[in-house]
């Protein structure tokens, strides 16, 4: 049987410019919401390597480069693209409803 999930609204699709990101705090979660050519992805905002905020990093296609030590992740999967990051960043399942960006938790 599928586990029940809760959808949380993070922002409007209009809040995130194309090929950029915003930081959203929702309860205990601090998240980065990315808009890559009109497709939305959500990860934890905190870099797994240190204090970097991924929403303030440099987004190039699906790659987000942390502006602290230039490590990078794929926003689709959270996988590390460039060291010194070693640990993938958590990603969330995203859906769009009525121009809102939602995640499932
Ligand atoms: S804190 Fe992000 S690469 Fe070091």
């Amino acid at each position: 049987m599928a586990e029940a999930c809760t959808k949380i609204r993070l922002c409007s699709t209009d809040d995130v410019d194309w090929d950029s990101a915003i930081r959203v705090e929702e309860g205990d979660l601090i998240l980065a919401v990315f808009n890559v050519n009109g497709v939305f992805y959500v990860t934890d905002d905190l870099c797994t390597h240190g204090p970097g905020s991924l929403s303030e990093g440099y987004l190039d296609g699906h790659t987000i480069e942390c502006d602290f030590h230039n490590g990078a992740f794929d926003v689709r999967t959270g996988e590390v693209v460039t060291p010194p990051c070693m640990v993938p960043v958590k990603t969330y399942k995203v859906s769009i409803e009525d121009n809102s960006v939602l995640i499932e938790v």
Side-chain angles (χ1 to χ4, degrees):
M1 204 166 77
E3 281 183 38
C5 67
T6 307
K7 287 189 177 182
I8 299 176
R9 182 186 185 278
L10 300 181
C11 60
S12 163
T13 53
D14 295 334
D15 292 337
V16 194
D17 290 338
W18 276 53
D19 297 319
S20 69
I22 63 168
R23 183 176 193 266
V24 174
E25 292 189 34
E26 185 61 53
D28 293 340
L29 300 171
I30 303 175
L31 304 165
V33 181
F34 301 94
N35 176 349
V36 181
N37 287 324
V39 181
F40 289 81
Y41 302 93
V42 177
T43 70
D44 281 340
D45 187 51
L46 182 64
C47 181
T48 60
H49 178 252
S53 166
L54 295 181
S55 60
E56 293 174 8
Y58 171 66
L59 184 64
D60 181 14
H62 292 102
T63 300
I64 182 67
E65 182 181 293
C66 177
D67 64 359
F68 233 79
H69 309 108
N70 306 109
F73 304 90
D74 187 318
V75 298
R76 296 170 294 190
T77 61
E79 291 298 320
V80 172
V81 175
T82 310
C85 306
M86 302 287 284
V87 178
V89 68
K90 183 173 181 182
T91 58
Y92 296 82
K93 187 164 186 216
V94 176
S95 57
I96 306 296
E97 290 176 20
D98 298 328
N99 291 328
S100 291
V101 180
L102 303 108
I103 55 167
E104 292 180 13
V105 293

